Amino acid sequence: MGRVAVKEERCKGCGYCLEVCKEGNLYLDSTRRNRSGYSVATFSEDKVCSGCALCAEICPDVALEVYR
Amino acid sequence: MSIAAKKRVFASPASLTDNKFHFCPGCHHGLVHRLAAETIDYYDLSSKAIGVIGVGCGVFLYDYLAIDCCESPHGRAPAVATGIKRSNPDSFVVTYQGDGDLAAIGTSEIIHAANRQESITIIFVNNSVYGMTGGQMAPTTLPGQKTTTTPAGRQPVGDGYPINVAELISTLKGTAFAARVACHSHTHIRTARKAMRRAFQAQIEKRGLGLIELLSACPTNWRMTPQQSVRRLEAEMINTFPLGTYKDF
Ligand SMILES: Cc1ncc(C[n+]2csc(CCOP(=O)(O)OP(=O)(O)O)c2C)c(N)n1
Ligand code: SF4
């Protein structure tokens, strides 16, 4: 099973990764903000991730690392 | 299973520094930086690559790529790159330029560098506006597109038609590689990665100038959300700027 690690200080909450993940494993957590003030992409621990890395591929801020 | 026990399948390329990008949310400059870093790693060029940076939002490339870099005056990157490459023939010289930089103030320099068959690689980010200065019209602005200098929309008669740089440069004999790709989907990004390698390969094999044009979003100056901007790129920009390889050695 895959896992996505978010480098929260790099994330700007653009949301591209949310759209590309077919499983809906990523969401923007509106209750938290990083030091730049952005709501950051957050990985749902309780869903199934194939580790396809499409989210990291599309991320323009190199904020995601994918493990499998 | 803990993350430590898993294999990392996607990580930041070695030639990209840890510095956070200054770009706006959804801007594709960061993606293009990453593809450049990946390609530098792929060909193991980090010790001999020299970046020549144009003027625009890509101007801080030296903070992000772990290679030597040189700033150039607006539009003059191909001329500065020519000097660097000719005096250091063993170096790998790559320019990074926006559409205001390359297709407006620097039109002369790119055309003559290609025509002289300079052995340099050009990374050309086309986001259809002057980003850094607040969204003025560029030569690549689409007909009808509203910008701060074309508030009623660009009128081709009077304001000019969009200039198709990849096609134009491909007509010059000194050009080895010219292609246009897009940054807005993972399938397009994969094609872009392959084209970036060919643009590098042209210089490695001393075939002539290699240019990759990347259609990119500038959500801020398009006055759009990142999601709206990638939809505009797909629905509007690609019609005017067809994707494809126009010259391959
Ligand atoms: C000689 C000169 N003229 C004008 C400027 C102002 N200027 C700075 S960036 C820029 C346009 C950049 O647009 P583009 O190349 O499209 O890059 P982007 O910011 O969109 O990535 C201009 C006109 C300058 N820095 N130097
Ligand atoms: S102004 Fe446009 S090109 Fe510049 S960083 Fe912002 S989105 Fe990117």
Side-chain angles (χ1 to χ4, degrees):
Chain A
M1 210 168 107
R3 202 176 188 292
V4 178
V6 181
K7 294 181 178 174
E8 296 199 341
E9 289 306 322
R10 291 193 74 95
C11 179
K12 296 177 186 142
C14 71
Y16 290 162
C17 59
L18 278 56
E19 289 202 342
V20 85
C21 179
K22 290 183 187 64
E23 307 297 334
N25 284 338
L26 291 146
Y27 63 99
L28 286 186
D29 186 348
S30 56
T31 65
R32 291 183 308 122
R33 291 188 184 270
N34 66 12
R35 266 182 287 165
S36 305
Y38 295 117
S39 296
V40 293
T42 307
F43 181 69
S44 313
E45 301 284 348
D46 49 345
K47 291 194 180 168
V48 178
C49 168
S50 65
C52 70
L54 294 185
C55 53
E57 179 81 306
I58 208 158
C59 175
D61 283 287
V62 200
L64 305 176
E65 279 188 343
V66 181
Y67 295 79
R68 198 159 47 205
Chain B
M1 209 199 298
S2 81
I3 209 161
K6 292 178 187 285
K7 190 170 162 262
R8 195 162 63 174
V9 292
F10 196 105
S12 179
S15 291
L16 202 65
T17 67
D18 287 337
N19 294 328
K20 262 192 306 181
F21 292 138
H22 67 283
F23 309 116
C24 309
C27 173
H28 283 130
H29 268 299
L31 184 88
V32 181
H33 280 43
R34 192 190 87 212
L35 290 177
E38 284 179 8
T39 315
I40 289 165
D41 291 347
Y42 181 80
Y43 288 112
D44 196 17
L45 293 168
S46 60
S47 58
K48 61 186 237 175
I50 301 174
V52 182
I53 315 166
V55 171
C57 288
V59 78
F60 299 123
L61 187 88
Y62 56 80
D63 270 345
Y64 306 125
L65 289 192
I67 60 170
D68 287 337
C69 286
C70 176
E71 292 287 339
S72 64
H74 208 359
R76 275 70 204 183
V80 174
T82 297
I84 293 175
K85 182 71 183 187
R86 287 189 183 193
S87 53
N88 298 276
D90 293 335
S91 60
F92 181 89
V93 183
V94 55
T95 77
Y96 189 101
Q97 303 177 255
D99 46 346
D101 188 81
L102 182 143
I105 192 168
T107 327
S108 170
E109 280 74 12
I110 184 60
I111 286 179
H112 290 290
N115 197 45
R116 294 190 308 266
Q117 201 163 345
E118 299 296 345
S119 208
I120 57 177
T121 300
I122 312 285
I123 298 176
F124 169 47
V125 178
N126 176 358
N127 59 17
S128 82
V129 282
Y130 286 17
M132 181 185 241
T133 42
Q136 294 83 359
M137 186 193 89
T140 44
T141 297
L142 303 191
Q145 184 180 336
K146 287 186 181 154
T147 69
T148 49
T149 44
T150 54
R154 183 181 194 177
Q155 305 299 323
V157 178
D159 299 335
Y161 291 88
I163 294 181
N164 288 42
V165 170
E167 291 92 321
L168 180 72
I169 294 302
S170 74
T171 64
L172 298 166
K173 286 207 173 70
T175 300
F177 181 80
R180 182 180 298 109
V181 295
C183 295
H184 62 295
S185 81
H186 58 90
T187 46
H188 288 93
I189 293 167
R190 284 181 186 157
T191 308
R193 180 178 289 115
K194 288 187 195 140
M196 182 86 77
R197 287 183 186 171
R198 289 300 287 168
F200 276 51
Q201 189 77 35
Q203 181 177 168
I204 291 167
E205 292 185 20
K206 301 186 172 54
R207 300 296 189 102
L209 182 134
L211 177 140
I212 176 172
E213 173 175 345
L214 301 109
L215 301 184
S216 304
C218 174
T220 300
N221 288 300
W222 296 359
R223 310 281 190 264
M224 288 179 176
T225 64
Q227 283 65 34
Q228 290 168 332
S229 72
V230 291
R231 282 195 281 276
R232 170 186 185 257
L233 200 165
E234 169 81 37
E236 295 177 33
M237 269 185 96
I238 292 176
N239 289 337
T240 303
F241 298 113
L243 305 181
T245 302
Y246 295 97
K247 193 158 186 189
D248 193 352
F249 301 47

